[in-house]
Amino acid sequence: MRTIDTLGDLRGKRVLVRSDFNVPLKDGVITDDGRIKAALPTLTRLVEAGAKVVILAHLGRPKGEVKPEFSLAPVAKRLGELIDAPVTLASDVVGDSAQAVVASLGEGEIALLENVRYDARENSKDDAARAELAAEYAKLADVFVSDGFGVVHRKQASVYDVAKLLPSAAGELVVKEIESLRRATDNPERPYGVVLGGSKVSDKLGVIKNLLEKADFLLIGGGMAYTFLAAQGYSVGTSLLEKDQIDTVKGYIETAAAKGVDLVLPVDTVVALEFKADAPASVVDADAIPDDQMGLDIGPKTAKLFADKIASAKTVAWNGPMGVFEMEAFAAGTKAVAQALSESSCFSVIGGGDSAAAVRQLGFDESTFSHISTGGGASLELLEGKTLPGIAVLED
Ligand code: ADP
Ligand code: MG
């Protein structure tokens, strides 16, 4: 993958940067600026190199229309505060305002163009439409830096097509994400463990399939665990169950046995009558889930079992919460896994939007993990072993 170093001296050059600024907003206020912070290493480096920095980013899904509630104005303001320099926001994507703002940029100055998804061509399925918009982006710059990790799995004009038109390279965030996720999936230092959870097994089939080939152990928690328990012949009450996946899951259990992968399922589980924060909860063994109850977290014996396994590993990839961590009564399993990972000196990578949110919400110090991915879909696709278009284009 080409890095910024390959772009040569950037002083006075117009550098187009794709960042991921798709932050959560409530009443126009940013509620989590993590993605903006994650973009700072690249932006700071470019500013210090004397580049004229032109940023492309999206926010939400305005579906090709200019809708003020999807304006990047709050992002421009927050970015300016974080980087401690003015950030000029163009009022359009590639129109008169964008062109004028870029033309007036001095060395080390920053402009942000409006939400690229205001332009329907940005994520058009029509290659020609995307290429046309990409050519307009390319006219605004001399080189391109791809740093929006959260979108590198998308074949979109500001991610993929523009990279083909300008000298292009991966930014600091993308380099760190790719290095970390590859280190935790390809040739990991062993013992290598994978912890999987989250709501549905059907969302993670590709991940299980790919990592089952590589891991020394696989710990299964979260909603998906109940389909595994059902595949073992247990009744799971009213827990999340994907009946149509039972045969597939049986196949995984067989593959694990054949390959000598230690596949660990919950031995106990926290159950409740209802999916509610204040529903009275109790702990039962995994083979004794009452018919009228649902499993909403792994139980304490399982949490201890998982924590001990994690402590024995040199590399751990984790995707998917162990329970409904959003409700305090069902957060203990996720907390135990996060705790074990943060105490371990292993190389630890957390991928998946909700998993990353969970460790933050539960108050863990992010620096105690080797890497927390900023990209949900993109990190999942890397764990699946897929080639991502926005990365491949920086490699050939
Ligand atoms: P990620 O975004 O990290 O890939 P997912 O989107 O697959 O994770 O799953 C996250 C969701 O799974 C969380 O909202 C959590 O509440 C839910 N979940 C975890 N365990 C259970 C369970 N036992 N029953 C229902 N939902 C669960
Ligand atoms: Mg999710």
Side-chain angles (χ1 to χ4, degrees), residues 204 352-355:
K204 309 279 168 84
D354 292 292
S355 313

Side-chain angles (χ1 to χ4, degrees), residues 326-344:
E326 297 92 336
M327 303 178 188
E328 210 191 321
F330 312 111
T334 303
K335 211 169 185 168
V337 162
Q339 185 75 35
L341 266 187
S342 78
E343 282 168 6
S344 159

